[in-house]
Amino acid sequence: MRLNARTLGTLPDGVRRPRYDRAGLETGIVHIGLGAFHRAHQAVYTEDALDRAFGPWGICGVSLRSPETRDALAPQDDLYTVLVRDAGGERARVVGSVTESLVAPEDPAAVLERLVRPSVRVVTVTVTEKGYCHEPATGALDERHPGIVADIANPGAPQTLPGFLVEALARRRAAGTAPFTVLSCDNLPENGVVTAGILRRFAELRDPALARWIEDGVACPSSMVDRIVPATTAEDRAAVARLLGVEDAWPVVTEPFSQWVIEDRFPAGRPAWETVGAELTADVRPFERMKLRLLNASHSCMAYLGYLSGYETVAQTIADPAFARFVAGLMDAEVTPTLAMPAGVDLAGYKAALLRRFANPALKHRTWQIAMDGSQKLPQRLLGTIADRLAAGAPIDRLALGVAGWMRYVSGTDEQGRPIDVRDPLAARLRALADEAGPSASRLAPALLGVGDVFGGELPHHPEFVRAVTDSLDRLFTRGARACVEAAAGEARTA
Ligand code: CS2
């Protein structure tokens, strides 16, 4: 038996399910990037908002690449389970706010048809960093990106995020339909500004008048999203089947914590997300910075250094006292001085909660998963903090070890000489540089620092940065990651 609209009524009493009239739900949101994160985060806020007060906010989910999610959800009437877990136990609910799932490469016309519907007033986006087709170091559209080149040449059958949104906006403009609001929910600083920038530039390459219409009329608010959602495993599916009594081919597993801070700029309207826990504000930037520099930076450091130390999950990594001290020191001594939070934000409480969240033994969040796409993540997670610290003349020991950990990781061989499955849009280029340099910090560090997409033009010329990263990398090669973390946890300067 499969989870679907018919079996919904057979679920055990404790399993929460949609309380609203799902059949009467109109599509008001198109979501691009129908991954686990969206289904455990924005779709849950929208579900809660619908439960509280019904409105025209059903979600059409779009996968830009693979059919897997649609294949799992279509036989389930797009219903799926969110399993929330921590040391205290687990609880399942079935979410119904996604009412349709599409696969863009199979039928781009269907996606465009949804995007031009006047009832669609918000487009939410989780396509991960690389889905923006931008240069990570600058945030500008990468005009040589093969998908962008293809979408400019053939705008009617797009492949990329900017390609779909700009073509849909062009059609709305031609039809006299007001534009939708585009809400980025990816881990990029000022993600709304990045989104507005790539849309404007892509439109300029097509038609300057369209670019002006988009610039004047399309709101791209920024948002900070936070919920840890590891990839779903076969054991997770089995656990959900036990709890539900029916099979769910693609549940999502997550932690109790959830946060969404949204810049409140929605000229076309939006669900009342603020009634169900989202924080609507005029300026998201301090919250984005706090989260990227504390949570995501710690995550990436644990991913590279933890993986190299032989740890499979974040919970295993942070259970090592040396890592726990290292991460706490990174956050307190090196990141916190670069943050300026609005009055009332309890940073100490936030950081203490992060250490508890990382330690959640019920989530198997793999270091390898977080290690993916480092070239797209490093700038906002580590390098911005490093630039601020250098400008203040302050030490960067732990941050530099994190960057060196990435370099050691992308060289493609672990400390036992086994190959590392490096997933990154720049993997081939990084690997070629690493192969040419060999296991030598004085050759590998400058080679990787020369990758301008990641490091930009300035940092690679900062002598203290180059020294700190090269020394750390050298120690990683000679002493190993675990010993380096132990040393940095104990000795790093805190001034
Ligand atoms: C993680 C994030 O995979 C990663 O890079 O750091 O997905 C992280 O789990 C989320 O941002 C938490 O909100």
Side-chain angles (χ1 to χ4, degrees), residues 37 187 225-229 291 295-296 299 357 365 369-370 377 381:
F37 183 72
N187 284 316
V225 293
D226 189 8
R227 195 168 207 187
I228 294 174
V229 191
K291 193 251 171 174
L295 188 157
N296 296 111
H299 250 178
R357 292 170 63 197
H365 201 184
Q369 187 188 351
I370 299 168
K377 294 175 175 173
R381 295 183 179 205

Side-chain angles (χ1 to χ4, degrees), residues 43 78 107 116 182 221 231 245 256 293 297 329 333 349 353 368 391 394:
D78 293 295
D107 195 353
V116 300
V182 184
R293 291 188 173 192
W368 175 81

Side-chain angles (χ1 to χ4, degrees), residues 407-408 410-413 430-448 473-474 477:
M407 293 179 162
R408 177 68 188 76
V410 299
S411 75
T413 312
L430 299 172
R431 184 57 193 266
L433 289 170
D435 286 349
E436 201 184 317
S440 147
S442 60
R443 289 163 53 94
L444 181 57
L448 291 175
L473 184 58
D474 188 49
F477 276 125

Side-chain angles (χ1 to χ4, degrees), residues 56-79:
W57 297 113
I59 301 170
C60 167
V62 177
S63 298
L64 280 186
R65 288 137 71 115
S66 119
E68 283 177 300
T69 306
R70 189 277 321 274
D71 290 350
L73 295 190
Q76 302 182 179
D77 302 311
D78 293 295
L79 293 164

